[in-house]
Amino acid sequence: MYTPEDPEKYIHMNFEGKRNAYGLPFIDAICSMDPESQNLIIYAHNMDNGTMFAGLLDYEKEEFWKEHPIIEFNTLYEKRQYEVIAAFRDRVYFSYEMVFKFYQFVDAIDEADLKRAEQAYKEKAYYDTGFELEMDDNLITLVTCDHYQDYGRFVVIAREITEDEA
């Protein structure tokens, strides 16, 4: 879901607009859909019963990544494939903390900005996937709560596979 005027509308709501503990996956309001941001940040709950984004936690293990390197992102209008390039734990930071905040990286300003993001992903990642980012790469960032620390998050970053690469 994408409701920039009410960013967390679907965090505890279903398609019918009724309260639901599961909620629905939603795109961060800082992302643009027209034109689309370079990095779509999508949030969903990590449910104890294994639903929603609970499966993201499996990407902590390199073996799981090797068996499941591709993520599909399907909408009503198209199907896309993304290759997982990094998986890591992080947290939501206070505004005064001067660190790379994965949840604020939406569009690279320039090559240096992109390389800062790449370096941060590589430093945080559980394993080396050998990726190198290019300015025309489109990313998807999947985020779920992870209670390893206060405001903890588990993050999976993936790069879109273009038709030329498919």
Side-chain angles (χ1 to χ4, degrees):
M1 302 304 293
Y2 179 65
T3 52
E5 67 285 350
D6 187 1
E8 294 186 1
K9 177 177 182 174
Y10 289 97
I11 197 165
H12 295 293
M13 186 182 294
N14 65 19
F15 281 115
E16 290 77 36
K18 295 189 173 138
R19 182 146 178 78
N20 182 297
Y22 291 77
L24 293 170
F26 62 93
I27 296 173
D28 195 308
I30 66 171
C31 297
S32 172
M33 297 305 289
D34 186 30
E36 191 172 294
S37 294
Q38 182 179 16
N39 182 16
L40 290 180
I41 303 171
I42 303 175
Y43 298 93
H45 289 295
N46 169 7
M47 303 305 288
D48 289 337
N49 66 3
T51 60
M52 301 303 284
F53 274 8
L56 288 183
L57 298 164
D58 293 333
Y59 280 101
E60 180 179 7
K61 299 175 191 82
E62 185 174 3
E63 196 59 39
F64 183 83
W65 163 70
K66 286 179 180 177
E67 293 172 10
H68 307 277
I70 305 298
I71 292 174
E72 285 196 8
F73 178 61
N74 301 328
T75 71
L76 291 174
Y77 310 104
E78 64 184 333
K79 294 181 178 186
R80 298 183 195 172
Q81 290 191 325
Y82 292 79
E83 62 177 328
V84 174
I85 61 172
F88 54 87
R89 282 190 164 84
D90 208 345
R91 68 179 175 89
V92 176
Y93 295 93
F94 294 104
S95 59
Y96 60 81
E97 293 180 278
M98 303 309 288
V99 298
F100 176 81
K101 297 171 179 139
F102 72 88
Y103 48 87
Q104 291 180 344
F105 181 74
V106 176
D107 291 300
I109 298 167
D110 55 25
E111 186 77 27
D113 192 34
L114 183 71
K115 290 304 173 188
R116 275 190 293 280
E118 177 184 286
Q119 186 60 35
Y121 297 156
K122 287 181 177 188
E123 288 173 4
K124 294 173 185 286
Y126 283 113
Y127 38 84
D128 181 7
T129 63
F131 77 94
E132 299 274 334
L133 293 179
E134 302 292 331
M135 280 301 289
D136 60 345
D137 284 339
N138 289 316
L139 305 174
I140 192 168
T141 298
L142 306 177
V143 185
T144 194
C145 290
D146 188 9
H147 304 291
Y148 78 104
Q149 70 172 325
D150 287 343
Y151 308 106
R153 301 291 184 266
F154 193 85
V155 182
V156 173
I157 311 285
R159 175 179 43 210
E160 186 174 8
I161 299 170
T162 64
E163 289 182 22
D164 296 342
E165 298 171 317

